[in-house]
Amino acid sequence: MDYKELMDRAKEVSKNSYSPYSKFAVGACLVTSNGKMYSGCNFENSSFGMTICAERNAVGSAIADGEREIKAIAIYSPNQKHCYPCGACRQVLNEFKAPEGLDVITEDENDELKISKLCELLPEGFNL
Ligand code: THU
């Protein structure tokens, strides 16, 4: 899988972020074991707790389309390099990680892609 394309899509969808309160735009694009890609951006609410993160928005689209195994997700914010998923999103990604694991792709200060493993970002994630 071309992680550069995944990151390009994450950048593109971050432009649609609805984040008038935090002014922190985020875009995410994931790829499933079937090679399908799904994008999502964060969208906030005047009732702040209702905010949905970009990652969970992308996961929701994948699930609604019948997908269950996520191989990788790229995350981008124009506001911050190394935009890692929040704790809640790490747990949601854990639910749908592919058997071989899930790569989390971020961009560093030099605009280089960095690949982290979800199991490193969420050691001992909760499973039933
Ligand atoms: N946000 C995400 O979209 N993903 C994350 O992993 C962290 C935070 C959003 C939520 C909120 O709209 C804004 O970033 C500031 O927290």
Side-chain angles (χ1 to χ4, degrees):
M1 172 63 206
D2 180 7
Y3 286 159
K4 167 91 168 56
E5 184 184 349
L6 219 54
M7 181 56 79
D8 285 346
R9 288 177 183 236
K11 285 183 185 177
E12 195 56 34
V13 72
S14 73
K15 295 175 188 163
N16 294 333
S17 163
Y18 177 75
S19 40
Y21 306 106
S22 73
K23 307 211 178 337
F24 192 92
V26 185
C29 184
L30 62 81
V31 62
T32 67
S33 295
N34 292 324
K36 295 175 105 178
M37 287 183 271
Y38 300 88
S39 298
C41 59
N42 59 329
F43 58 100
E44 301 183 344
N45 193 275
S46 53
S47 177
F48 298 159
M50 304 304 289
T51 290
I52 303 290
C53 291
E55 298 90 323
R56 273 178 286 160
N57 190 3
V59 171
S61 293
I63 297 307
D65 200 36
E67 296 294 301
R68 293 292 184 267
E69 283 184 12
I70 301 171
K71 283 175 74 103
I73 185 166
I75 306 160
Y76 175 80
S77 172
N79 304 66
Q80 183 181 295
K81 293 296 177 186
H82 298 290
C83 188
Y84 288 109
C86 74
C89 287
R90 292 177 197 203
Q91 179 63 30
V92 169
L93 290 169
N94 182 63
E95 186 78 20
F96 300 110
K97 61 181 183 287
E100 67 271 28
L102 194 162
D103 286 343
V104 176
I105 320 300
T106 55
E107 201 178 66
D108 71 14
E109 296 80 357
N110 304 314
D111 296 344
E112 303 280 352
L113 297 186
K114 183 181 174 206
I115 303 172
S116 309
K117 301 280 178 197
L118 180 66
C119 62
E120 298 161 3
L121 300 179
L122 185 72
E124 310 298 346
F126 183 73
N127 297 291
L128 284 180

Short mmCIF file of all heavy atoms in Angstrom, two decimals, residues 17-28 40-45 48 51-57 75-77 80 83-90, ligand 1:
data_model
loop_
_atom_site.label_atom_id
_atom_site.label_comp_id
_atom_site.label_asym_id
_atom_site.label_seq_id
_atom_site.Cartn_x
_atom_site.Cartn_y
_atom_site.Cartn_z
N SER A 17 -12.80 19.75 7.57
CA SER A 17 -13.01 19.73 9.02
C SER A 17 -13.96 20.84 9.46
O SER A 17 -13.84 21.99 9.01
CB SER A 17 -11.64 19.91 9.71
OG SER A 17 -11.82 20.28 11.06
N TYR A 18 -14.87 20.47 10.35
CA TYR A 18 -15.74 21.49 10.97
C TYR A 18 -15.25 21.66 12.41
O TYR A 18 -15.58 20.85 13.29
CB TYR A 18 -17.21 21.03 10.94
CG TYR A 18 -18.13 22.01 11.63
CD1 TYR A 18 -18.48 23.21 11.03
CD2 TYR A 18 -18.63 21.74 12.90
CE1 TYR A 18 -19.31 24.13 11.67
CE2 TYR A 18 -19.46 22.63 13.56
CZ TYR A 18 -19.79 23.83 12.94
OH TYR A 18 -20.62 24.73 13.57
N SER A 19 -14.38 22.64 12.61
CA SER A 19 -13.77 22.80 13.93
C SER A 19 -13.70 24.28 14.33
O SER A 19 -12.62 24.82 14.58
CB SER A 19 -12.36 22.18 13.91
OG SER A 19 -11.67 22.45 12.71
N PRO A 20 -14.90 24.94 14.40
CA PRO A 20 -14.92 26.37 14.72
C PRO A 20 -14.52 26.67 16.16
O PRO A 20 -14.14 27.81 16.47
CB PRO A 20 -16.38 26.76 14.47
CG PRO A 20 -17.15 25.51 14.69
CD PRO A 20 -16.26 24.40 14.22
N TYR A 21 -14.60 25.67 17.05
CA TYR A 21 -14.35 25.91 18.47
C TYR A 21 -12.87 25.74 18.80
O TYR A 21 -12.25 26.63 19.39
CB TYR A 21 -15.25 25.02 19.33
CG TYR A 21 -16.70 25.20 18.94
CD1 TYR A 21 -17.38 24.23 18.22
CD2 TYR A 21 -17.36 26.40 19.21
CE1 TYR A 21 -18.69 24.42 17.79
CE2 TYR A 21 -18.67 26.61 18.79
CZ TYR A 21 -19.32 25.62 18.08
OH TYR A 21 -20.60 25.83 17.65
N SER A 22 -12.30 24.62 18.41
CA SER A 22 -10.87 24.40 18.69
C SER A 22 -9.98 25.01 17.61
O SER A 22 -8.81 25.26 17.87
CB SER A 22 -10.58 22.90 18.78
OG SER A 22 -10.61 22.30 17.49
N LYS A 23 -10.53 25.19 16.42
CA LYS A 23 -9.75 25.62 15.25
C LYS A 23 -8.60 24.65 15.00
O LYS A 23 -7.54 25.03 14.50
CB LYS A 23 -9.24 27.05 15.41
CG LYS A 23 -10.35 28.04 15.76
CD LYS A 23 -10.07 29.41 15.21
CE LYS A 23 -11.15 30.44 15.47
NZ LYS A 23 -12.49 29.98 15.73
N PHE A 24 -8.82 23.39 15.35
CA PHE A 24 -7.82 22.34 15.15
C PHE A 24 -8.40 21.35 14.15
O PHE A 24 -9.23 20.51 14.49
CB PHE A 24 -7.51 21.67 16.49
CG PHE A 24 -6.30 20.77 16.47
CD1 PHE A 24 -5.04 21.27 16.80
CD2 PHE A 24 -6.41 19.43 16.12
CE1 PHE A 24 -3.92 20.44 16.79
CE2 PHE A 24 -5.31 18.60 16.10
CZ PHE A 24 -4.07 19.10 16.43
N ALA A 25 -7.99 21.49 12.89
CA ALA A 25 -8.52 20.62 11.82
C ALA A 25 -7.74 19.31 11.79
O ALA A 25 -6.52 19.30 11.98
CB ALA A 25 -8.40 21.33 10.48
N VAL A 26 -8.46 18.22 11.55
CA VAL A 26 -7.82 16.91 11.44
C VAL A 26 -8.48 16.15 10.27
O VAL A 26 -9.69 16.23 10.07
CB VAL A 26 -7.97 16.07 12.73
CG1 VAL A 26 -7.19 14.76 12.62
CG2 VAL A 26 -7.51 16.86 13.96
N GLY A 27 -7.64 15.44 9.53
CA GLY A 27 -8.14 14.54 8.48
C GLY A 27 -7.50 13.18 8.67
O GLY A 27 -6.36 13.07 9.14
N ALA A 28 -8.24 12.14 8.30
CA ALA A 28 -7.71 10.78 8.41
C ALA A 28 -8.16 9.99 7.20
O ALA A 28 -9.25 10.22 6.66
CB ALA A 28 -8.21 10.12 9.69
N GLY A 40 -12.09 10.62 6.68
CA GLY A 40 -12.96 11.30 7.64
C GLY A 40 -12.25 12.53 8.19
O GLY A 40 -11.02 12.60 8.20
N CYS A 41 -13.05 13.50 8.61
CA CYS A 41 -12.48 14.69 9.27
C CYS A 41 -13.21 14.86 10.60
O CYS A 41 -14.26 14.26 10.82
CB CYS A 41 -12.65 15.93 8.39
SG CYS A 41 -14.35 16.31 7.98
N ASN A 42 -12.63 15.66 11.48
CA ASN A 42 -13.32 15.92 12.75
C ASN A 42 -14.48 16.89 12.53
O ASN A 42 -14.44 17.73 11.63
CB ASN A 42 -12.34 16.45 13.81
CG ASN A 42 -11.63 17.72 13.42
OD1 ASN A 42 -11.37 17.98 12.24
ND2 ASN A 42 -11.28 18.54 14.39
N PHE A 43 -15.51 16.72 13.33
CA PHE A 43 -16.62 17.70 13.31
C PHE A 43 -17.08 17.94 14.73
O PHE A 43 -17.36 17.02 15.48
CB PHE A 43 -17.75 17.32 12.36
CG PHE A 43 -18.43 16.01 12.58
CD1 PHE A 43 -19.65 15.94 13.24
CD2 PHE A 43 -17.88 14.83 12.11
CE1 PHE A 43 -20.32 14.74 13.42
CE2 PHE A 43 -18.53 13.61 12.29
CZ PHE A 43 -19.73 13.57 12.95
N GLU A 44 -17.10 19.23 15.06
CA GLU A 44 -17.37 19.65 16.44
C GLU A 44 -18.83 20.07 16.62
O GLU A 44 -19.61 20.11 15.67
CB GLU A 44 -16.41 20.79 16.80
CG GLU A 44 -14.96 20.33 16.66
CD GLU A 44 -13.93 21.38 17.05
OE1 GLU A 44 -14.28 22.58 17.16
OE2 GLU A 44 -12.78 20.99 17.26
N ASN A 45 -19.16 20.37 17.87
CA ASN A 45 -20.53 20.74 18.21
C ASN A 45 -20.48 21.79 19.31
O ASN A 45 -19.55 21.77 20.14
CB ASN A 45 -21.30 19.50 18.68
CG ASN A 45 -22.79 19.74 18.74
OD1 ASN A 45 -23.30 20.25 19.73
ND2 ASN A 45 -23.49 19.40 17.69
N PHE A 48 -19.66 20.65 23.38
CA PHE A 48 -18.32 20.20 22.99
C PHE A 48 -18.10 18.69 23.03
O PHE A 48 -17.40 18.14 22.20
CB PHE A 48 -17.25 20.87 23.88
CG PHE A 48 -17.21 22.37 23.78
CD1 PHE A 48 -16.64 23.13 24.78
CD2 PHE A 48 -17.74 23.03 22.67
CE1 PHE A 48 -16.59 24.52 24.69
CE2 PHE A 48 -17.70 24.41 22.56
CZ PHE A 48 -17.12 25.17 23.58
N THR A 51 -18.28 16.18 20.00
CA THR A 51 -17.28 16.20 18.92
C THR A 51 -16.87 14.79 18.50
O THR A 51 -16.69 13.91 19.33
CB THR A 51 -16.04 16.98 19.40
OG1 THR A 51 -16.40 18.35 19.50
CG2 THR A 51 -14.86 16.83 18.46
N ILE A 52 -16.75 14.62 17.19
CA ILE A 52 -16.27 13.35 16.63
C ILE A 52 -14.91 13.57 16.00
O ILE A 52 -14.73 14.49 15.20
CB ILE A 52 -17.25 12.81 15.55
CG1 ILE A 52 -18.65 12.64 16.11
CG2 ILE A 52 -16.73 11.50 14.96
CD1 ILE A 52 -18.84 11.53 17.11
N CYS A 53 -13.95 12.73 16.35
CA CYS A 53 -12.60 12.83 15.79
C CYS A 53 -12.58 12.33 14.35
O CYS A 53 -13.42 11.51 13.94
CB CYS A 53 -11.63 11.98 16.59
SG CYS A 53 -11.29 12.57 18.25
N ALA A 54 -11.58 12.80 13.61
CA ALA A 54 -11.41 12.40 12.21
C ALA A 54 -11.29 10.89 12.07
O ALA A 54 -11.89 10.29 11.16
CB ALA A 54 -10.17 13.08 11.65
N GLU A 55 -10.52 10.28 12.96
CA GLU A 55 -10.27 8.83 12.86
C GLU A 55 -11.57 8.05 13.01
O GLU A 55 -11.85 7.11 12.26
CB GLU A 55 -9.29 8.39 13.94
CG GLU A 55 -7.92 9.01 13.86
CD GLU A 55 -7.80 10.31 14.64
OE1 GLU A 55 -8.78 11.10 14.68
OE2 GLU A 55 -6.73 10.54 15.22
N ARG A 56 -12.37 8.43 14.01
CA ARG A 56 -13.61 7.67 14.23
C ARG A 56 -14.63 7.93 13.12
O ARG A 56 -15.44 7.06 12.81
CB ARG A 56 -14.20 7.99 15.59
CG ARG A 56 -13.61 7.09 16.68
CD ARG A 56 -14.14 7.43 18.04
NE ARG A 56 -13.54 8.66 18.52
CZ ARG A 56 -14.06 9.42 19.47
NH1 ARG A 56 -15.20 9.07 20.03
NH2 ARG A 56 -13.45 10.51 19.87
N ASN A 57 -14.57 9.10 12.52
CA ASN A 57 -15.42 9.38 11.37
C ASN A 57 -15.06 8.44 10.21
O ASN A 57 -15.94 7.84 9.58
CB ASN A 57 -15.25 10.85 10.97
CG ASN A 57 -16.26 11.32 9.94
OD1 ASN A 57 -17.14 10.58 9.55
ND2 ASN A 57 -16.11 12.55 9.50
N ILE A 75 -3.02 10.09 9.46
CA ILE A 75 -3.67 11.19 10.20
C ILE A 75 -2.89 12.46 9.95
O ILE A 75 -1.64 12.46 10.03
CB ILE A 75 -3.72 10.87 11.71
CG1 ILE A 75 -4.37 9.51 11.94
CG2 ILE A 75 -4.49 11.95 12.47
CD1 ILE A 75 -4.05 8.90 13.28
N TYR A 76 -3.64 13.53 9.68
CA TYR A 76 -2.98 14.81 9.35
C TYR A 76 -3.72 15.98 10.00
O TYR A 76 -4.95 16.02 10.01
CB TYR A 76 -2.98 15.01 7.84
CG TYR A 76 -2.42 16.35 7.42
CD1 TYR A 76 -1.05 16.55 7.37
CD2 TYR A 76 -3.26 17.42 7.12
CE1 TYR A 76 -0.53 17.79 7.02
CE2 TYR A 76 -2.75 18.66 6.77
CZ TYR A 76 -1.38 18.83 6.72
OH TYR A 76 -0.87 20.05 6.38
N SER A 77 -2.93 16.91 10.54
CA SER A 77 -3.49 18.19 10.95
C SER A 77 -2.58 19.29 10.43
O SER A 77 -1.36 19.20 10.58
CB SER A 77 -3.59 18.30 12.47
OG SER A 77 -3.96 19.63 12.81
N GLN A 80 -0.50 20.82 13.47
CA GLN A 80 0.48 20.12 14.32
C GLN A 80 1.12 18.94 13.59
O GLN A 80 0.40 18.13 12.99
CB GLN A 80 -0.25 19.59 15.55
CG GLN A 80 0.62 18.90 16.57
CD GLN A 80 -0.23 18.40 17.73
OE1 GLN A 80 -0.81 19.18 18.46
NE2 GLN A 80 -0.32 17.10 17.89
N CYS A 83 0.55 14.14 14.29
CA CYS A 83 -0.81 14.15 14.85
C CYS A 83 -1.25 12.72 15.13
O CYS A 83 -1.83 12.05 14.27
CB CYS A 83 -1.77 14.86 13.89
SG CYS A 83 -3.39 15.12 14.60
N TYR A 84 -0.95 12.26 16.33
CA TYR A 84 -1.29 10.89 16.72
C TYR A 84 -2.75 10.82 17.18
O TYR A 84 -3.30 11.81 17.66
CB TYR A 84 -0.38 10.43 17.87
CG TYR A 84 1.03 10.17 17.45
CD1 TYR A 84 2.06 11.03 17.83
CD2 TYR A 84 1.34 9.07 16.66
CE1 TYR A 84 3.37 10.79 17.44
CE2 TYR A 84 2.64 8.83 16.26
CZ TYR A 84 3.65 9.69 16.65
OH TYR A 84 4.94 9.46 16.26
N PRO A 85 -3.35 9.63 17.06
CA PRO A 85 -4.75 9.49 17.50
C PRO A 85 -4.89 9.63 19.02
O PRO A 85 -4.00 9.21 19.77
CB PRO A 85 -5.13 8.08 17.05
CG PRO A 85 -3.86 7.36 16.82
CD PRO A 85 -2.83 8.38 16.47
N CYS A 86 -6.00 10.20 19.45
CA CYS A 86 -6.28 10.32 20.88
C CYS A 86 -6.52 8.92 21.46
O CYS A 86 -6.68 7.94 20.72
CB CYS A 86 -7.49 11.22 21.13
SG CYS A 86 -9.07 10.47 20.72
N GLY A 87 -6.57 8.83 22.77
CA GLY A 87 -6.74 7.54 23.42
C GLY A 87 -8.01 6.81 23.02
O GLY A 87 -8.01 5.60 22.78
N ALA A 88 -9.12 7.58 22.91
CA ALA A 88 -10.40 6.96 22.54
C ALA A 88 -10.30 6.36 21.14
O ALA A 88 -10.77 5.24 20.90
CB ALA A 88 -11.51 8.00 22.62
N CYS A 89 -9.70 7.09 20.22
CA CYS A 89 -9.58 6.59 18.84
C CYS A 89 -8.64 5.39 18.77
O CYS A 89 -8.85 4.47 17.97
CB CYS A 89 -9.11 7.70 17.91
SG CYS A 89 -10.41 8.92 17.59
N ARG A 90 -7.62 5.36 19.60
CA ARG A 90 -6.72 4.19 19.63
C ARG A 90 -7.52 2.94 20.00
O ARG A 90 -7.34 1.87 19.43
CB ARG A 90 -5.57 4.40 20.63
CG ARG A 90 -4.62 5.47 20.16
CD ARG A 90 -3.49 5.77 21.15
NE ARG A 90 -2.90 7.06 20.81
CZ ARG A 90 -1.69 7.45 21.13
NH1 ARG A 90 -0.90 6.68 21.84
NH2 ARG A 90 -1.25 8.65 20.77
N1 THU B 1 -9.18 15.41 17.19
C1 THU B 1 -9.22 14.48 16.19
O1 THU B 1 -9.94 14.64 15.21
N2 THU B 1 -8.45 13.37 16.33
C2 THU B 1 -7.63 13.11 17.39
O2 THU B 1 -7.06 12.04 17.49
C3 THU B 1 -7.44 14.14 18.41
C4 THU B 1 -8.38 15.28 18.39
C5 THU B 1 -10.01 16.61 17.07
C6 THU B 1 -11.14 16.69 18.04
C7 THU B 1 -11.36 18.19 18.14
O3 THU B 1 -12.25 18.59 17.11
C8 THU B 1 -10.00 18.78 17.87
O4 THU B 1 -9.22 17.76 17.29
C9 THU B 1 -9.29 19.32 19.12
O5 THU B 1 -9.29 18.36 20.12
#
